[in-house]
Amino acid sequence: MARDGGKGEGEKLRRLPPGRHGLSREFVTQNQRERLIAGSIAAVAERGFRETTVTEISAAAGVSRRTFYAYFQTKEECFLATFDLLEEHLFAAIAAAAAAKPSWTEQVRARVEAMLGLFGENPDLVRFALVAPPAAGGPVLERNRSLLERLVGELAAGAPQGRGFAEPTEVEREAMAGAVAAVLAGKVEAGSDKLSEASPELVELVLAPVVGRRRAATAAAKS
Amino acid sequence: MTQLPPALASGSVEKGRISRAAREEERRQQVLAACTDVFAKRGYQAATVENLIAGAKISMGGFYKFFEGKEDCFVQVFDRVVAVAQERIRIAVAPDANWAAQATFGTRILIEFAAEQPLAAKIVVLEAQTGGEEALARYGATVREVAAFLRRGRDEGKFGGRLPENFEDSTASGLVWLLQTRLARGDLGDAEDLYPQVAKVVLEPYLGADRAQQVLRAASDEHAASR
């Protein structure tokens, strides 16, 4: 898989200088755990969940295998911790973006763009959370599915009710979740700089079940 | 005196060979059906050749006569399920029907099939993704076939021209995701209730809401009348 050079979390969280660095123990601890999480993202994006080993995660994180086992008992535990941290950041970014937007359409647009901004800076996150899980199956796939279900819920949150607005059915929400994942995965595979182009398509996807296809397309084209 | 063409002349094919070949094919189909259940219940990764042999009630030698190994067995299981589903669609949907009718009946057949044989459906939409490179390639090709069929709706409905370029790819993935979610939790829902909702998702982007509703109502009347 083609890797884009150097914007992943792994490179951002550089290796701590050895020896006495004057950092508190809590800071180093937090830092090592986050580096292992960053390492798991980089390793999985390149190799997939099943092929990735604890050695590779540790190497990508710039720590020893012993350090890995100080934080996680298995690679699966590390993967699930990565999903936790990703969800926390993603949903915080989405919620923050919608604040103070005057209309629901504007909120949806802002949320989609916040999500694309986060994924655009770290396309490996899309590979980790959306592209690689189906081949992994098991708990990783379950996390991928629950993340997507929550994602479409959060993107569409606060839809107006009443005349001209429909409540999306369960079938529509499920179809939307799969479609959102496909759009994001498709853009990342086409080149990570393409993610920002996905905004109108995603806005239309989220709006369509509520306001109808035609109004959704018109509103999405304005972005 | 008329002379029979060679194909009709007696003795051109050995009788024993026909029945032996037919018996073998029937046996192969039984083995594939049994292996479908083993893969779907255990998952591709966890299933072993021993599990498949036990499930299909064949010997190790018998298994390797039919298949090169576990992965080859899975690919053949996948192909069989797809062939059965395609055959059902071919029988039920008139080839000269318009796109909207094909899409509506095709959706009904596929959902009824998944409801009736959830293990077989799981092979195609869920397990194929973990079933090795060949299975993954076929899974991808199947999703692209669905997308290609949907794309033909652009010629039929007046709204198709306004859709985003990759609209069908994401719609096909969305529909597959819906089936995956429901099959994974072991509850597809009532096919009679699910099918019109899914068909609506398929039709509406191309036909608009009103026309999609008309097509679905006509299909449901026709179905009721045929009972």
Side-chain angles (χ1 to χ4, degrees), chain B residues 135-149:
Chain B
L136 189 61
R138 284 171 200 231
Y139 168 83
T142 308
V143 177
R144 280 195 299 280
E145 259 178 61
V146 173
F149 172 79

Side-chain angles (χ1 to χ4, degrees), chain A residues 3-221:
Chain A
R3 296 283 321 284
D4 57 310
K7 289 238 180 76
E9 292 276 11
E11 282 80 8
K12 267 197 190 163
L13 300 163
R14 282 191 311 279
R15 195 173 176 164
L16 287 177
R20 297 167 59 89
H21 37 58
L23 299 171
S24 74
R25 192 182 148 73
E26 287 72 27
F27 181 83
V28 174
T29 306
Q30 182 64 18
N31 201 258
Q32 281 186 326
R33 189 172 183 278
E34 291 200 349
R35 268 194 341 218
L36 282 163
I37 284 176
S40 83
I41 293 166
V44 166
E46 196 170 324
R47 309 249 298 132
F49 285 96
R50 220 193 308 271
E51 289 77 9
T52 291
T53 62
V54 168
T55 306
E56 286 166 344
I57 296 172
S58 310
V63 303
S64 67
R65 276 170 54 93
R66 237 181 98 178
T67 305
F68 178 94
Y69 286 112
Y71 294 96
F72 306 109
Q73 289 185 359
T74 60
K75 65 174 187 175
E76 285 75 19
E77 206 179 298
C78 177
F79 295 153
L80 299 185
T82 304
F83 270 105
D84 286 341
L85 191 68
L86 164 60
E87 285 185 17
E88 193 186 305
H89 281 271
L90 177 64
F91 293 123
I94 286 175
K101 293 291 174 208
S103 70
W104 179 66
T105 308
E106 287 308 312
Q107 287 174 357
V108 170
R109 199 195 317 282
R111 288 174 187 139
V112 164
E113 276 162 13
M115 172 181 76
L116 292 175
L118 190 142
F119 285 148
E121 275 176 42
N122 313 282
D124 278 353
L125 290 176
V126 177
R127 298 188 182 104
F128 180 95
L130 302 180
V131 179
V140 162
L141 183 57
E142 275 168 37
R143 283 303 293 265
N144 155 270
R145 309 191 73 79
S146 65
L147 185 151
L148 269 169
E149 267 167 35
R150 186 169 164 203
L151 178 62
V152 294
E154 302 273 333
L155 288 176
Q161 291 171 340
R163 225 180 120 78
F165 299 98
E167 170 94 23
T169 63
E170 195 187 345
V171 163
E172 284 170 331
R173 281 199 305 274
E174 286 167 353
M176 194 201 297
V180 166
V183 169
L184 292 170
K187 293 290 179 197
V188 165
E189 271 158 29
S192 33
D193 55 324
K194 304 274 188 224
L195 266 171
S196 58
E197 294 172 8
S199 177
E201 198 172 343
L202 290 172
V203 170
E204 185 176 330
L205 264 175
V206 176
L207 297 181
V210 178
V211 301
R213 175 68 49 187
R214 211 183 320 177
R215 276 169 66 197
T218 311

Side-chain angles (χ1 to χ4, degrees), chain A residues 50 134-137 141 144-145 148-149 169-172 174-175 177-179 182-183 187 201 204 213-214, chain B residues 45 126 129-130 159 162-164 166-167 169-171 173-174 177-178 180-182 185 194 197-198 200-201 205:
Chain A
R50 220 193 308 271
L141 183 57
N144 155 270
R145 309 191 73 79
L148 269 169
E149 267 167 35
T169 63
E170 195 187 345
V171 163
E172 284 170 331
E174 286 167 353
V183 169
K187 293 290 179 197
E201 198 172 343
E204 185 176 330
R213 175 68 49 187
R214 211 183 320 177
Chain B
Q45 290 295 331
L126 274 172
Q129 292 179 290
T130 63
F159 298 111
R162 304 180 199 185
L163 297 170
N166 296 323
F167 178 76
D169 300 323
S170 48
T171 306
S173 301
W177 204 85
L178 179 150
Q180 286 168 346
T181 307
R182 288 166 180 247
R185 74 167 183 241
L194 180 59
Q197 297 190 61
V198 174
K200 180 168 172 268
V201 171

Side-chain angles (χ1 to χ4, degrees), chain B residues 42-64:
Chain B
R42 292 187 180 260
Y44 173 80
Q45 290 295 331
T48 62
V49 170
E50 285 72 25
N51 299 146
L52 295 165
I53 286 169
K57 299 190 177 69
I58 47 172
S59 65
M60 184 75 86
F63 180 85
Y64 283 103

